[in-house]
Amino acid sequence: MGLSDQVRLGALTRWVTPELVDEVVAAQGRRDKRVGALPAGLMVHFVLGLALFHQDSYDDVAENMVSAIPELGGTIPNKSSFTRARQRLGPQVLEVVFRRVSGPLAAEGLAESFYRGLRVAAVDGFYLDAPDTAANRAAFGGQVTADGSPLAYPQVRVVALSEVGTHAVLDARVGGLVDSEQGLAAPLAARARGILVIMDRGFVGVSLWSEFTGAGAHLLIRAKANNARTPIEHLPDGTYLAKIWKWVGKRRTHSVTVRVVEYQVDGGETIRLLTDLLDPAEAPADELAALYHDRWEAELLNRQLKTYQRGSQQILRSAEPDLVRQEVWAHLTVHHCLSRLITEIAGRHKIDPDRISFVKVLKAVRRSVIQNTTNTPAKLGKFLASLASKLPKLDIGPRRDRAADRIVKRLKLKYADPPKGWTRQPTRRTPPKIITLLPRLV
């Protein structure tokens, strides 16, 4: 065993174990052909370290990981050596590590994680900016001007299936702006059996619906304005059955039957939900209307990964598409491990995981890497017990009902300019929302 085998990921070593890394490296055919300073196993930990310390340089990340091992302090290779080692490793190893680590976390009965015996998850997509290289733009695509000139950064599109109660990513697909959200979401159906999956209206489609229901999942999706507006059967609770169709050109090909729930929040716009839970007795309309708004938990997951873990308005560090994908899988792996740690701490104190500060846990894990104080199972257990005992510092309290104006802080590409005379209001407390069903009775 060389000194490089002593490099660990602090508290995350509990799930990304040396044995797991060695097994995945061997299975993917990335085992080292000759002894070198940057073996494949070390590089798996290093790439995960790049995600954990995203705002630090290669040298700083390496220093963080070996600072408690004096013998390695003066042997840190230069950036080009790390880049070549990352290229040899490829993206597949990190993807497999993520899939080996990921999975449901919520214990039975955890608030927001279950609905009438069904685990609740959400599908949502988000973007990560990649360095503006020709290779990245060709692989991922990016915004362009009216005349086709490149605008802003190439964008990586990530679509994730995540547990709403814990923010744990159960599965994900990595593509680019050139890929559709529905196309990336379809393979996630394989991990959704027995789960009630919530999606927004961008995912409405017969093909995607059939993928998930065919895999044994249940769906709750917000409808587009022109979806399922014509009832084919009125139900006793005021909801109704309708069809959504698949279109090829101007011709309808086939359809699926859905149940439609209509309601308003605080007397605002009418929201229409589509579900495959057709029996009102087994899935009352008022419960489904309230449940849909848990989809927002996926947005909070996005913020944890993009704003806190990666860093606000930061771009990824990789100039090549394969290294970008490698980096994204590393971010997803680190986020899942942090979610597992948060869920465990919350479980020990019997509180909701959303009361545990993601930022404080992230900082504690970073310190555990730098200090290398959790490099054995016994020390890991001691660290976790110590972290769990600091509940007053980690507990941010029950979530409050608040509202904030939605604005784009960077280059405006998606949203229209605000109305003349509009000024942004600060984040403010709001009373609980009132949901009013809009039954269609015969």
Side-chain angles (χ1 to χ4, degrees), residues 210-407:
S210 300
E211 286 278 357
F212 274 83
T213 55
H218 296 283
L219 295 173
L220 184 63
I221 306 181
R222 185 171 179 177
K224 295 179 180 178
N226 59 347
N227 288 140
R229 298 191 64 87
T230 305
I232 59 175
E233 181 182 344
H234 291 274
L235 301 177
D237 66 339
T239 62
Y240 62 90
L241 302 184
K243 290 184 179 294
I244 57 174
W245 290 85
K246 181 175 182 178
W247 292 78
V248 177
K250 295 183 178 181
R251 184 170 60 90
R252 296 192 302 187
T253 56
H254 61 280
S255 65
V256 294
T257 300
V258 301
R259 177 176 165 220
V260 183
V261 178
E262 294 182 329
Y263 65 99
Q264 293 177 336
V265 178
D266 290 345
E269 66 173 315
T270 297
I271 298 173
R272 302 167 57 246
L273 302 179
L274 311 178
T275 182
D276 69 317
L277 300 172
L278 305 184
D279 187 347
E282 294 182 358
D286 58 340
E287 293 180 2
L288 294 179
L291 181 66
Y292 174 74
H293 294 271
D294 285 346
R295 191 202 69 81
W296 188 252
E297 297 296 332
E299 302 284 354
L300 299 181
L301 178 157
N302 297 347
R303 183 177 68 171
Q304 288 176 347
L305 194 151
K306 294 174 61 177
T307 303
Y308 302 139
Q309 180 178 308
R310 178 200 61 170
S312 179
Q313 301 189 16
Q314 295 285 312
I315 66 171
L316 300 175
R317 64 175 88 226
S318 304
E320 302 172 17
D322 274 355
L323 298 190
V324 169
R325 296 184 184 94
Q326 182 191 80
E327 191 176 350
V328 173
W329 288 117
H331 271 292
L332 290 168
T333 302
V334 168
H335 183 274
H336 189 85
C337 291
L338 293 171
S339 298
R340 294 185 74 158
L341 183 53
I342 288 170
T343 302
E344 179 171 318
I345 294 170
R348 291 190 181 193
H349 295 278
K350 296 181 170 50
I351 61 176
D352 288 340
D354 59 22
R355 290 182 55 169
I356 303 297
S357 169
F358 181 87
V359 173
K360 284 183 168 50
V361 171
L362 173 63
K363 290 179 178 178
V365 170
R366 286 172 174 168
R367 287 194 297 271
S368 75
V369 174
I370 295 171
Q371 296 167 0
N372 198 27
T373 54
T374 53
N375 53 5
T376 66
K379 290 181 179 179
L380 266 172
K382 185 177 180 181
F383 170 83
L384 294 171
S386 173
L387 189 58
S389 70
K390 299 175 182 177
L391 184 65
K393 292 184 178 181
L394 300 176
D395 187 0
I396 56 178
R399 186 175 296 165
R400 298 160 290 169
D401 290 315
R402 297 186 298 170
D405 295 331
R406 187 173 189 180
I407 66 168

Side-chain angles (χ1 to χ4, degrees), residues 30-99:
R30 298 294 175 174
R31 194 182 292 278
D32 302 302
K33 296 179 180 179
R34 61 184 180 83
V35 178
L38 295 173
L42 171 65
M43 287 308 302
V44 172
H45 289 93
F46 180 73
V47 174
L48 292 169
L50 293 178
L52 186 61
F53 298 94
H54 182 84
Q55 299 180 48
D56 291 350
S57 68
Y58 274 44
D59 289 347
D60 289 339
V61 173
E63 184 69 31
N64 290 339
M65 297 181 70
V66 305
S67 59
I69 308 174
E71 297 89 343
L72 290 177
T75 60
I76 296 175
N78 57 34
K79 180 178 178 179
S80 61
S81 297
F82 280 117
T83 300
R84 289 192 296 272
R86 288 186 60 196
Q87 291 168 337
R88 291 194 298 272
L89 185 67
Q92 190 66 31
V93 171
L94 271 297
E95 180 179 354
V96 175
V97 168
F98 164 76
R99 300 197 186 287

Side-chain angles (χ1 to χ4, degrees), residues 8-9 12-28 31 40-42 44-45 48 89 92-102 333 336-337 340:
R8 296 288 184 267
L9 279 172
L12 303 191
T13 306
R14 180 174 184 184
W15 300 289
V16 187
T17 64
E19 293 77 18
L20 170 63
V21 171
D22 289 344
E23 182 181 334
V24 173
V25 166
Q28 296 302 310
R31 194 182 292 278
L42 171 65
V44 172
H45 289 93
L48 292 169
L89 185 67
Q92 190 66 31
V93 171
L94 271 297
E95 180 179 354
V96 175
V97 168
F98 164 76
R99 300 197 186 287
R100 293 286 300 272
V101 169
S102 64
T333 302
H336 189 85
C337 291
R340 294 185 74 158

